[in-house]
Amino acid sequence: MPKNRKFPKGTFRTDPYENYRFKLEWDGNEVAGFSNVGGLVRTQVAIAHPSGGDSNSPRYLADQSSYEAITLERGVTHDVDFEQWANKVWDYKKSTAGEKDEGAKNQNVSLKDFRKDMTLNLFNEAGQKVLAYKIYRCWPSEFTATPEMDGNGNAVAIQSLRLENEGWERDDAVK
């Protein structure tokens, strides 16, 4: 087998890709402004199972997989995408509608596009896409609209959105 056959492009590369060259897509569009995307973490539960009656040396079987929530962070801007999506779960205006009218029911929020499939793309120094992960059925479980404010500080105000997901996989179409 020829050396470096697994990597037909960039066979000279021995160093890892830098972690700050990334883009996130949802609804088929690139979502700008992210400064941080949490890692993709999958945990496989192991179950001990006795082997042939030998309780001194159990064997382990794979059970359910679980996927950790992913945190997205970006600077606070006039763009309201985060907040509108987070409000799909609970919208204050709609949830309190009708409170003054006795017998009126609160309005339901449409969950039509509550879950989103996303793609996390990683780029090399030349701006070429080198890696992509598809993340399935994401939904916002926590939203921070503004950080703690400090009148004496000079830091950027950061919003965060915590996404639950039902799994992810590498996009093999990216070579």
Side-chain angles (χ1 to χ4, degrees), residues 12 19 24 32 39 44 54 59 67 98 114 124 133 139 143 167:
F12 58 88
N19 70 348
L24 192 70
Q44 190 74 36
D54 183 7
R59 304 286 186 238
Y67 297 89
F114 166 62
N124 64 13
Y133 281 90
W139 59 275
F143 174 63

Side-chain angles (χ1 to χ4, degrees), residues 17 21-25 40 118-123 128-136 168-175:
Y17 295 110
R21 298 178 183 268
F22 63 90
K23 294 181 181 173
L24 192 70
E25 296 176 6
L40 304 180
M118 299 187 176
T119 303
L120 177 61
N121 298 309
L122 181 67
F123 297 86
Q128 301 163 319
K129 187 189 307 185
V130 294
L131 188 65
Y133 281 90
K134 296 177 182 177
I135 310 167
Y136 299 109
W168 45 263
E169 67 181 349
R170 188 172 181 160
D171 185 353
D172 292 330
V174 177
K175 300 290 183 192

Side-chain angles (χ1 to χ4, degrees), residues 81-140:
D81 286 347
F82 268 23
E83 194 161 0
Q84 287 176 343
W85 189 29
N87 286 340
K88 291 286 183 182
V89 178
W90 184 76
D91 186 326
Y92 179 77
K93 287 181 186 176
K94 289 185 179 178
S95 69
T96 58
E99 282 186 356
K100 294 178 183 174
D101 304 325
E102 252 182 74
K105 289 189 173 184
N106 292 346
Q107 297 177 11
N108 291 329
V109 177
S110 170
L111 299 180
K112 177 183 168 196
D113 55 355
F114 166 62
R115 294 181 187 267
K116 294 182 184 287
D117 290 342
M118 299 187 176
T119 303
L120 177 61
N121 298 309
L122 181 67
F123 297 86
N124 64 13
E125 293 82 0
Q128 301 163 319
K129 187 189 307 185
V130 294
L131 188 65
Y133 281 90
K134 296 177 182 177
I135 310 167
Y136 299 109
R137 298 180 52 79
C138 300
W139 59 275

